[in-house]
Amino acid sequence: MDGEAEDRAWKPVLALRARAERGESAAADDAPAPLDALFGELAATPAGGRFVVAHLGQSLDGRIATESGHSHYIGCEQSLLHLHRLRALVDAVVVGIGTVIADAPRLTTRHCTGPDPVRVVLDPRARLGAEASVVTDRAAPTLVVHSRDVHPMLPDHVETAALAPDPTGALPPAGVLAVLAERGLTRVLVEGGGRTVSSFVAARVLDRLQFAVAPLLIGSGRPALSLPVVETLDAALRPPYGRFELGPDTLFDFDLRATPAA
Ligand SMILES: NC(=O)c1ccc[n+]([C@@H]2O[C@H](COP(=O)([O-])OP(=O)(O)OC[C@H]3O[C@@H](n4cnc5c(N)ncnc54)[C@H](OP(=O)(O)O)[C@@H]3O)[C@@H](O)[C@H]2O)c1
């Protein structure tokens, strides 16, 4: 599909999102195929309705970056477009401080039409510097969630919210989502890195989990998911999934709502 055709296919999804936003009737299959399966449910979720999706772009051998943190880009252009389309449909995009330090990401919607989400950085120990681009560029609102024990030194235009950390010092995912919901941010994309997405999976707070798998072997580096040890494969997660071609990449879209609670 060329750029213009892609735009034509995308516009009805944005229109569906706008109808849902206004509280008008909106159904997932109002989006045209094949985008209905990928984006219909999210686009049809009304303001205040919950939809939490995590996404990682990984190599075939399950790495999201090299050991030194280089990750641009594991996936193809279509995978990048897919990620930006997710950003355009959510209220907030969440990343861990590790990703902000490694990548200085902008977290805005640039590869497709659509609004920018609120950028949320999980920074329990207040490591985010006032010179970070999510602080200085003012391209979209930024919210920093930190542990109650620290006081981030950030300019006034950056909102901060304190949360009680768990015993390991991490911010509990359910608490993070509650902080966002208090601000009306209920349609959420958890965009990385591996530790952050893993904690949201382990906490069983995700509706959907997506991996864009690229035909690339890194052989070492930062892992996508790291979950508590299971002894046998009976305990592995086998959620229902959809599989989609994104150019040379394959997107696996797992529905975690059907998996039993731990
Ligand atoms: N391929 C992709 O799709 C993709 C996407 C994003 C990032 N990346 C890559 O991933 C790497 C960074 O990933 P990462 O796993 O090292 O770091 P990360 O998940 O971005 O950040 C982890 C840090 O976030 C803080 N944190 C707060 N609450 C947390 C929670 N509930 N769970 C986990 N962390 C929480 C902790 O900070 P403290 O240590 O200060 O306590 C933790 O060390 C970078 O190399 C980046 O390039 C790849």
Side-chain angles (χ1 to χ4, degrees):
M1 222 192 282
D2 63 25
E4 247 174 64
E6 262 160 11
D7 236 25
R8 268 200 307 281
W10 178 236
K11 273 186 183 145
V13 182
L14 278 184
L16 170 60
R17 210 283 194 177
R19 282 206 306 283
E21 191 75 18
R22 294 192 296 267
E24 294 170 15
S25 128
D29 55 9
D30 291 347
L35 297 186
D36 55 345
L38 273 174
F39 302 107
E41 201 180 331
L42 172 55
T45 303
R50 182 202 143 92
F51 194 101
V52 186
V53 54
H55 174 281
L56 285 171
Q58 67 164 55
S59 61
L60 189 56
D61 56 342
R63 309 291 175 163
I64 59 162
T66 64
E67 203 58 51
S68 65
H70 188 235
S71 68
H72 284 183
Y73 287 101
I74 287 176
C76 69
E77 261 179 46
Q78 271 122 308
S79 284
L80 194 58
L81 173 64
H82 172 78
L83 181 61
H84 281 237
R85 283 173 164 172
L86 286 176
R87 287 182 187 169
L89 296 178
V90 293
D91 302 310
V93 56
V94 175
V95 290
I97 183 65
T99 294
V100 176
I101 289 171
D103 295 351
R106 280 180 278 175
L107 302 172
T108 50
T109 304
R110 301 184 303 282
H111 290 267
C112 65
T113 318
D116 295 320
V118 174
R119 306 176 293 188
V120 180
V121 181
L122 304 187
D123 185 19
R125 294 186 283 151
R127 292 198 283 147
L128 182 67
E131 72 297 338
S133 52
V134 288
V135 173
T136 59
D137 68 7
R138 294 189 184 228
T142 298
L143 167 65
V144 176
V145 187
H146 60 89
S147 143
R148 279 194 181 143
D149 321 327
V150 297
H151 300 282
M153 303 288 284
L154 294 167
D156 288 347
H157 69 268
V158 174
E159 195 185 353
T160 57
L163 200 57
D166 71 16
T168 70
L171 299 170
V176 170
L177 293 177
V179 164
L180 300 188
E182 281 164 17
R183 289 159 176 77
L185 309 172
T186 53
R187 296 165 292 190
V188 177
L189 167 63
V190 184
E191 201 182 297
R195 273 184 275 180
T196 296
V197 170
S198 298
S199 76
F200 277 70
V201 174
R204 309 270 175 158
V205 294
L206 294 177
D207 297 312
R208 300 270 273 267
L209 174 61
Q210 299 188 348
F211 295 99
V213 181
L216 162 80
L217 303 170
I218 304 179
S220 59
R222 314 251 177 129
L225 277 195
S226 305
L227 294 176
V229 171
V230 294
E231 291 302 329
T232 68
L233 290 178
D234 304 333
L237 297 174
R238 296 178 196 269
Y241 65 93
R243 190 170 52 187
F244 305 87
E245 275 183 23
L246 297 175
D249 299 352
T250 303
L251 184 88
F252 289 89
D253 180 15
F254 290 100
D255 188 344
L256 296 188
R257 291 168 295 201
T259 55

